[in-house]
Amino acid sequence: VLAIKQTIYRTGSDPAMMNLLREAVRRGKEVTVVVELKARFDEEANINWAEKLESIGAQVVYGVVGLKTHAKMLLVTRREGRQLVRYAHLSTGNYNPRTARLYTDISYLTANLKLTSDIEQVFTQLASQTKINKLHYLWLAPFHLQDKLIEMVDKVSKASMHGVKGRIILKMNSLTDEKLARQLVIASQRGVEIDLIVRGACILPAKRPGFTERIRVRSIIGRFLEHSRVYYLRSGETDDLYLSSADWMSRNMLRRVELAWPVTDLALRQRIVDECLLAYLHDTRNAWTLEADGQYR
């Protein structure tokens, strides 16, 4: 291993990950850490770890002024023979040993050349604040994530107007972004069937006759805190599945550094659909459904 780059949003006071990064510095690896100092409840722990890492020679970056770095990503560069190979980890959740046991999240490991190249570019942009080049696969907030999501919903919506069956299933913590909510309403009025699995705040009314009768909203409150974000959009025989660190909130779209990335492997996609979407839609024990009168039952 030659280099390790990682974002740190919510670490906790005794994280094994931080100790491993310190050990990597001691072994001569180039370690770059993007630390978010305004991570609620973890400000003090993050400042302490930033100082400890800086004191032993790690490069510590504090992100872009005015934007909270909420993306969860890790990039490892290795020398393999005569080649340099990158391995990346992307996650819907934090690198925190406590919340990892209490939250539902998805970890995604990849060595895809274009995806790891995108992640390298994002780290470079956070460290140097230079203009980011066009990305292959990643959608990045606050630059184009909201626009890409609107574009995707609009694509399914327009196809539905021409008789192509449309289906959207979204799982997230909160849905409070007006632009995205309006786009979903328009899509439903054009014939797209929409299921929203939103644990917390949701500004979109469901099952309203003549307005949102094709939109169903449910909240799952169970043993674990629902924290994973999954976006599934299908038009006819074509479908897309994205994972993300971002909820559909204005702050996530416009005031934070967030990532969304596609899952292209068919077996992995099917697993996520089965375990993270369909299982939740069929739940009859922990689900609260939003009725037309605005009440959850």
Side-chain angles (χ1 to χ4, degrees):
V1 172
L2 300 178
I4 301 169
K5 297 181 179 180
Q6 186 177 356
T7 58
I8 299 296
Y9 180 72
R10 198 180 296 292
T11 60
S13 57
D14 186 26
M17 189 73 82
M18 294 295 94
N19 291 325
L20 288 169
L21 288 174
R22 292 171 75 191
E23 182 64 21
V25 175
R26 290 193 193 97
R27 294 187 183 206
K29 315 302 178 188
E30 182 188 311
V31 173
T32 303
V33 182
V34 181
V35 179
E36 177 50 61
L37 295 180
K38 291 186 179 179
R40 194 169 42 156
F41 310 127
D42 278 76
E43 292 93 339
E44 186 179 356
N46 284 10
I47 290 168
N48 291 339
W49 281 113
E51 289 175 347
K52 286 176 184 176
L53 287 165
E54 235 170 354
S55 69
I56 60 171
Q59 183 186 359
V60 178
V61 177
Y62 297 101
V64 182
V65 175
L67 299 177
K68 188 179 275 194
T69 304
H70 194 249
K72 287 84 179 175
M73 54 183 180
L74 167 67
L75 188 68
V76 175
T77 304
R78 298 180 77 225
R79 183 188 288 118
E80 298 184 3
R82 295 185 178 182
Q83 289 185 312
L84 293 183
V85 182
R86 294 191 192 104
Y87 296 91
H89 174 263
L90 297 168
S91 180
T92 63
N94 304 302
Y95 295 110
N96 182 307
R98 184 171 174 273
T99 61
R101 291 192 293 270
L102 302 172
Y103 293 11
T104 73
D105 274 304
I106 301 171
S107 278
Y108 190 79
L109 290 163
T110 181
N112 179 285
L113 291 173
K114 288 185 176 179
L115 192 49
T116 53
S117 171
D118 283 356
I119 295 165
E120 179 77 66
Q121 277 205 63
V122 175
F123 273 114
T124 301
Q125 197 267 343
L126 289 170
S128 62
Q129 301 195 21
T130 55
K131 187 178 178 182
I132 199 159
N133 296 324
K134 188 175 180 181
L135 300 173
H136 300 100
Y137 289 142
L138 279 186
W139 293 348
L140 183 65
F143 306 104
H144 53 256
L145 176 57
Q146 187 187 52
D147 291 340
K148 287 287 187 183
L149 291 170
I150 289 172
E151 189 182 304
M152 289 282 285
V153 174
D154 191 50
K155 189 171 112 181
V156 177
S157 172
K158 284 177 177 172
S160 185
M161 289 174 70
H162 294 94
V164 180
K165 195 173 179 182
R167 183 88 165 96
I168 294 174
I169 309 173
L170 306 172
K171 182 178 185 295
M172 63 193 76
N173 292 333
S174 304
L175 197 171
T176 59
D177 183 90
E178 234 178 277
K179 278 189 177 180
L180 293 169
R182 286 183 189 280
Q183 204 63 43
L184 289 171
V185 171
I186 292 167
S188 75
Q189 291 171 349
R190 290 175 175 174
V192 180
E193 293 292 333
I194 300 174
D195 278 287
L196 305 175
I197 306 161
V198 186
R199 173 175 58 83
C202 179
I203 64 169
L204 206 159
K207 302 178 184 177
R208 293 281 179 89
F211 185 54
T212 57
E213 66 259 36
R214 290 190 185 86
I215 297 180
R216 294 162 294 278
V217 177
R218 55 173 35 209
S219 170
I220 306 287
I221 307 293
R223 177 181 170 192
F224 299 108
L225 184 99
E226 295 304 327
H227 200 250
S228 54
R229 290 88 166 184
V230 185
Y231 313 149
Y232 176 82
L233 301 98
R234 185 181 186 91
S235 186
E237 297 303 310
T238 308
D239 60 355
D240 294 287
L241 190 144
Y242 279 76
L243 300 176
S244 181
S245 60
D247 291 309
W248 284 27
M249 304 173 75
S250 298
R251 72 181 190 192
N252 295 78
M253 298 295 154
L254 306 174
R255 300 194 298 277
R256 291 187 174 190
V257 176
E258 302 272 18
L259 295 178
W261 64 95
V263 179
T264 52
D265 181 274
L266 294 179
L268 286 180
R269 280 168 66 163
Q270 191 59 52
R271 185 179 170 192
I272 292 167
V273 168
D274 290 343
E275 294 180 19
C276 301
L277 296 177
L278 295 182
Y280 289 78
L281 295 180
H282 294 148
D283 186 289
T284 57
R285 189 181 183 89
N286 298 312
W288 293 77
T289 57
L290 181 60
E291 302 298 337
D293 62 2
Q295 297 296 312
Y296 281 89
R297 292 187 177 82

